[in-house]
Amino acid sequence: MSDMTPRIHDVRYNAAEQCFEALVTLHTPGGRVRVASQFDAPMTTDFEAASRGLLNSALMALSDRSALKSRELRKPIVPPRNRHRDMPHAA
């Protein structure tokens, strides 16, 4: 069984914007979703609080159509078969 725990990758502090930033991987019924997350807080914020803020921000972004995210589908998409390749040619 795979681990379904949300993952927070490469937490960074953006001093110009005064926020923490990270890529957060969430597990949904449709597959994994990676969300670009941002949490406004001072640089002195402890790591646990920043992590909670980034996770909460990512969870809210799931329903936001304008949020930057990518999906990894559970079933791979199979391209349609090429009609011309499957048709026998007249001799």
Side-chain angles (χ1 to χ4, degrees):
M1 185 173 184
S2 64
D3 184 15
M4 302 298 275
T5 305
R7 302 277 180 179
I8 302 173
H9 308 273
D10 300 327
V11 176
R12 295 179 185 188
Y13 189 74
N14 181 333
E17 299 292 325
Q18 296 183 353
C19 66
F20 289 89
E21 300 172 333
L23 183 64
V24 179
T25 301
L26 303 169
H27 299 273
T28 68
R32 283 186 281 207
V33 179
R34 289 183 178 89
V35 181
S37 183
Q38 179 177 318
F39 175 62
D40 296 331
M43 189 168 57
T44 56
T45 303
D46 68 82
F47 186 76
E48 290 298 317
S51 296
R52 281 192 307 274
L54 288 165
L55 179 57
N56 288 336
S57 176
L59 289 168
M60 289 188 304
L62 274 179
S63 60
D64 182 357
R65 293 182 141 234
S66 66
L68 183 60
K69 54 188 170 255
S70 68
R71 292 190 182 278
E72 181 180 315
L73 301 175
R74 287 189 183 219
K75 286 180 88 174
I77 298 172
V78 178
R81 295 175 66 174
N82 187 342
R83 277 185 30 204
H84 300 291
R85 187 169 32 124
D86 296 335
M87 294 176 62
H89 294 285

